[in-house]
């Protein structure tokens, strides 16, 4: 029996290797302890149709779950295709089958497209007379001439927009957002400054770059200014809108002024907030660059209404809460040591009840979106459990800073934790939730961060290195991942000091 199980495991491992060889970059396989896999395949010849296969540990004796991803297929077509693939999988039970399922889906889609084409050409009854055909030719010719007379102006390309943002000193590049197509996740948004705009052939594998033809739109803050599919160009005004990016920026700032939301822009260019909040979850981190985009939480006088309407910043995050009392005690001891030397940093300390490791940050623009995110997290609970079935432990050791203003404990982790975070983000994106991570994920636990009032009092924005240099090798302890929490960045806290959590997912 053990020999048969080993043979089955080897067959499955070989199948995963064959899939990656066949589909290359269009196939993503996540494996974890227990012999389970999650396979994502987006065949390049099927345009926007992709497939996700959560593979159980007793596969192929048990067929995998089949998930069809497409923004263009109708619900009925998806239902029919799923029924067909389930039937095929039942017939292949006991044998590796994922490639066969993808090929069966390809054949079904091609047949469906062929049937639709036949239906479209078979609408008429008897053949047209010669006279009728001549009338149709004349009518078609007239329509063609009218269209030619009203030819649409050529639209500036994505490359033109990129060049304008890069070289026009009047345009703050960090205020622009790029919407582009990811082969696996669909439409994603990233900050313009998160990308390398060099030739793709010259960038390293770990640099974020995107082919120009995958760019769908550009935003100035939260306003779309160029959209390929909508033929919208308010950067140059090439499609006849008579608006340019400078017009858009001017109107945007005027609108902010009318709403009374532009106070941050008048604070001498300082890039952190007045508040004493202990959340660092919309900090923008760039690895290996000189970018210092840093944002803290909302101001002390922010209202609930402004919390929901300020669409330029994340307002929720998903995190692992620090529950190990030894870690909390070690952090508290270190913070006390810092405050003994410099008590003015007391408002900057992160309370023990709020300590956490952020996995990603989100923009949820309404209570309904918060409810949808909560339901989505609960729906993938079993999937997330499977990813950490062997357990994940985070080692917290040593300290460092973000831009000398945020002091944090380093989180040392295995690849399975990074895979877990990546898969979580993929699930969120597939549900249309807006992830606001702009740069590379840096696991960390924030210990303290400066605020504007304290910095003015101290005469500097930066934390004095002499306060923490003796803790560079401090071992805080370990934290097991037992649950994850969807947290609000609002100022209110639970009675135990942790963030308000619309949803918590138990992973044990």
């Amino acid at each position: 029996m053990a020999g048969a199980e080993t043979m089955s495991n080897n067959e499955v491992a070989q199948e995963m290797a064959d899939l990656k060889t066949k589909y290359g970059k269009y196939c993503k396989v996540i494996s974890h302890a227990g012999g389970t896999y999650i396979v994502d395949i987006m065949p390049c010849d099927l345009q926007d149709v992709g497939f996700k296969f959560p593979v159980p540990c007793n596969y192929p004796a048990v067929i995998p779950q089949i998930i069809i991803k497409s923004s263009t297929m109708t619900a009925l077509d998806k239902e029919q295709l799923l029924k067909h693939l389930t039937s095929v999988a039942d017939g292949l039970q006991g044998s590796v089958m994922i490639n066969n399922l993808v090929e069966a889906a390809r054949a079904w889609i091609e047949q469906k497209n062929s049937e639709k084409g036949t239906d479209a050409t078979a609408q008429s009854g008897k053949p047209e007379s010669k006279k009728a055909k001549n009338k149709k030719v004349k009518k078609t010719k007239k329509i063609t001439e009218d269209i030619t007379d009203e030819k649409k102006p050529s639209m500036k390309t994505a490359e033109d927009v990129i060049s304008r943002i890069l070289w026009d000193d009047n345009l703050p590049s960090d205020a622009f957002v790029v919407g582009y197509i990811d082969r696996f996740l669909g439409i994603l948004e990233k900050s313009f400054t998160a990308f390398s705009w060099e030739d793709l052939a010259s960038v390293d594998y770990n640099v974020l770059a995107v082919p120009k033809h995958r760019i769908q739109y550009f935003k100035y803050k939260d306003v779309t200014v160029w959209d390929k599919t909508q033929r919208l160009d308010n950067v140059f005004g090439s499609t006849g809108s008579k608006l340019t990016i400078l017009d858009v920026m001017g109107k945007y700032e005027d609108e902010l002024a009318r709403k009374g939301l532009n106070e941050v822009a008048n604070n001498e260019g300082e890039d952190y907030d007045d508040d004493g909040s202990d959340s660092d979850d919309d900090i923008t981190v760039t690895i290996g660059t000189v970018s210092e985009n840093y944002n803290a939480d909302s101001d002390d006088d922010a209202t609930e209404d402004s919390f929901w309407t300020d669409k330029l910043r994340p307002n929720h995050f998903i995190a692992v809460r620090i529950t190990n009392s030894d870690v909390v005690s070690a952090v508290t001891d270190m913070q006390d040591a810092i405050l003994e030397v410099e008590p003015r940093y007391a408002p900057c300390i992160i309370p023990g009840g709020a300590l956490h490791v952020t996995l990603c940050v989100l923009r949820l623009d309404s209570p309904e979106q918060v409810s949808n995110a909560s339901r989505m997290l609960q729906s993938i609970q079993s999937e997330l459990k499977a990813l950490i079935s062997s357990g994940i432990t985070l080692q917290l050791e040593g300290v460092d800073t973000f831009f000398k203003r945020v002091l944090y404990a380093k989180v040392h982790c295995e690849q399975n934790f990074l895979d877990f975070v990546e898969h979580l983000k993929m699930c969120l994106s597939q549900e249309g939730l807006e992830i606001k991570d702009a740069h590379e994920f840096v696991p960390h636990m924030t210990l303290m961060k400066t605020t504007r009032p304290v910095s003015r009092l101290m005469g500097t924005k930066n934390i004095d290195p002499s306060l923490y240099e003796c803790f560079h090798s401090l071992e805080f302890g370990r934290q097991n991942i037992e649950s994850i929490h969807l947290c609000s960045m609002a100022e209110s806290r639970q009675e135990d000091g942790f963030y308000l959590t619309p949803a918590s997912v138990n992973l044990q």
Side-chain angles (χ1 to χ4, degrees):
M1 191 72 177
E5 184 177 345
T6 300
M7 182 177 295
S8 175
N9 291 339
N10 290 339
E11 288 176 349
V12 174
Q14 184 58 51
E15 180 190 27
M16 298 302 153
D18 292 342
L19 289 171
K20 289 191 283 188
T21 299
K22 178 174 181 178
Y23 294 101
K25 63 182 180 179
Y26 304 112
C27 175
K28 183 175 182 180
V29 177
I30 298 177
S31 62
H32 40 81
T36 59
Y37 297 85
I38 294 175
V39 181
D40 260 289
I41 298 177
M42 182 78 73
C44 59
D45 59 328
L46 293 185
Q47 297 180 346
D48 87 317
V49 182
F51 308 94
K52 180 178 178 181
F53 303 96
V55 179
C57 60
N58 47 0
Y59 168 82
V62 174
I63 68 173
Q65 183 183 356
I66 303 169
I67 300 172
I68 301 168
K69 302 179 294 182
S70 174
S71 61
T72 58
M73 290 181 71
T74 65
L76 179 60
D77 282 347
K78 284 184 180 180
E79 182 181 348
Q80 291 177 346
L81 177 54
L82 179 59
K83 184 176 180 180
H84 173 66
L85 294 181
T86 302
S87 176
V88 172
D90 288 337
L92 295 171
Q93 191 170 4
S95 304
V96 293
M97 65 184 74
I98 293 179
N99 183 60
N100 290 336
L101 293 177
V102 175
E103 293 302 325
R106 177 183 281 109
W108 187 92
I109 292 171
E110 289 175 353
Q111 181 180 354
K112 195 74 174 178
N113 290 339
S114 177
E115 290 173 357
K116 289 180 180 178
T118 301
D119 291 342
T121 58
Q123 297 297 321
S124 61
K126 57 184 180 181
E128 292 181 309
S129 65
K130 184 175 181 181
K131 187 175 181 180
K133 287 184 178 179
N134 288 338
K135 284 185 177 180
K136 184 177 284 186
V137 169
K138 289 180 180 178
K139 185 176 181 180
T140 302
K141 183 176 180 181
K142 186 177 187 308
I143 292 173
T144 303
E145 289 173 350
D146 291 344
I147 291 174
T148 302
D149 291 340
E150 300 177 7
K151 184 178 179 181
K152 295 179 180 178
S154 60
M155 180 177 174
K156 290 288 189 179
T157 65
E159 190 163 2
D160 294 326
V161 178
I162 293 167
S163 296
R164 176 75 182 271
I165 297 172
L166 288 174
W167 300 109
D168 190 335
D169 292 338
N170 294 314
L171 307 186
S173 59
D174 58 355
F176 287 87
V177 173
V178 182
Y180 66 99
I181 294 179
D182 182 279
R183 283 289 186 181
F184 292 101
L185 305 180
I187 298 291
L188 296 181
E189 289 188 356
K190 295 284 187 183
S191 168
F192 182 87
T193 55
F195 294 91
S196 169
W197 297 110
E198 303 174 36
D199 190 317
L200 287 177
S202 65
V203 300
D204 289 336
Y205 71 92
N206 60 343
V207 172
L208 182 59
V210 62
K212 308 297 190 300
H213 68 271
R214 290 196 189 172
I215 295 175
Q216 300 299 295
Y217 57 83
F218 292 88
K219 288 182 179 179
Y220 172 70
K221 298 186 176 179
D222 61 342
V223 178
T224 302
V225 295
W226 185 95
D227 190 305
K228 181 164 62 176
T229 58
Q230 301 297 321
R231 280 187 56 80
L232 171 70
D233 177 15
N234 287 342
V235 177
F236 299 95
S238 65
T239 56
S241 68
K242 297 183 180 179
L243 284 176
T244 68
I245 187 59
L246 297 180
D247 298 325
V248 174
M249 292 167 61
K251 289 183 178 181
Y252 185 93
E253 299 305 326
D254 290 344
E255 185 66 20
L256 279 183
R258 281 194 293 272
K259 291 182 178 179
L261 296 176
N262 65 337
E263 65 271 13
V264 174
N266 299 318
N267 280 302
E268 302 176 345
E270 295 182 16
D271 49 3
Y272 51 90
D273 285 328
D274 278 327
D275 71 339
S277 169
D278 50 10
S279 174
D280 65 315
D281 297 290
D282 52 350
I283 291 173
T284 297
V285 181
T286 305
I287 302 301
T289 74
V290 295
S291 174
E292 293 196 4
N293 301 324
Y294 169 77
N295 299 302
D297 296 317
S298 54
D299 293 333
D300 287 335
D301 58 353
T303 65
E304 183 177 358
D305 180 63
S306 66
F307 176 73
W308 287 113
T309 57
D310 181 7
K311 296 184 178 181
L312 303 183
R313 306 162 67 178
N315 54 13
H316 287 78
F317 62 99
I318 298 176
V320 174
R321 183 176 184 180
I322 302 300
T323 57
N324 186 336
S325 59
D326 291 337
V327 174
V328 176
S329 177
V331 169
T332 303
D333 289 344
M334 175 190 170
Q335 293 170 334
D336 289 345
I338 290 175
L339 294 180
E340 283 183 9
V341 178
E342 186 46 82
R344 288 179 292 180
Y345 276 128
C348 306
I349 294 297
I350 307 300
L355 293 171
H356 63 277
V357 175
T358 302
L359 307 182
C360 64
V361 295
L362 302 169
R363 178 73 215 176
L364 303 175
D365 285 319
S366 68
E368 290 75 20
Q369 287 189 4
V370 175
S371 296
N372 291 338
S374 300
R375 285 194 295 270
M376 190 283 299
L377 287 173
Q378 296 297 342
S379 72
I380 63 171
Q381 180 182 26
S382 59
E383 196 171 313
L384 296 177
K385 277 186 176 181
L387 280 169
I388 63 169
S389 57
S390 61
I392 294 180
T393 299
L394 305 178
Q395 174 69 32
L396 298 111
E397 180 179 348
V399 298
D400 205 341
T401 67
F402 293 134
F403 321 122
K404 300 180 181 179
R405 304 172 199 173
V406 177
L407 180 65
Y408 67 88
K410 297 179 182 179
V411 175
H412 304 271
C413 58
E414 300 294 333
Q415 183 61 42
N416 59 350
F417 174 64
L418 301 179
D419 290 341
F420 175 83
V421 174
E422 184 179 358
H423 185 74
L424 173 65
K425 292 181 180 180
M426 181 179 68
C427 292
L428 293 168
S429 296
Q430 287 175 347
E431 291 297 321
L433 297 173
E434 186 179 4
I435 297 177
K436 300 296 286 187
D437 298 340
H439 297 283
E440 183 178 345
F441 175 57
V442 180
H444 67 281
M445 176 182 67
T446 300
L447 305 170
M448 63 177 287
K449 71 179 182 103
T450 59
T451 62
R452 183 178 292 121
V454 171
S455 295
R456 286 174 175 165
L457 182 65
M458 301 287 292
T460 177
K461 303 175 183 179
N462 301 335
I463 301 172
D464 184 351
S466 66
L467 294 174
Y468 58 82
E469 59 187 7
C470 59
F471 302 111
H472 275 306
S473 301
L474 177 63
E475 293 187 14
F476 295 94
R478 295 173 175 268
Q479 176 65 49
N480 294 328
I481 298 183
E482 302 164 346
S483 59
I484 59 173
H485 307 273
L486 174 63
C487 303
S488 168
M489 290 184 186
E491 295 177 29
S492 301
R493 295 288 186 268
Q494 300 180 41
E495 290 185 2
D496 61 2
F498 197 60
Y499 302 86
L500 297 180
T501 54
S504 296
V505 180
N506 183 10
L507 299 177
Q508 290 189 314

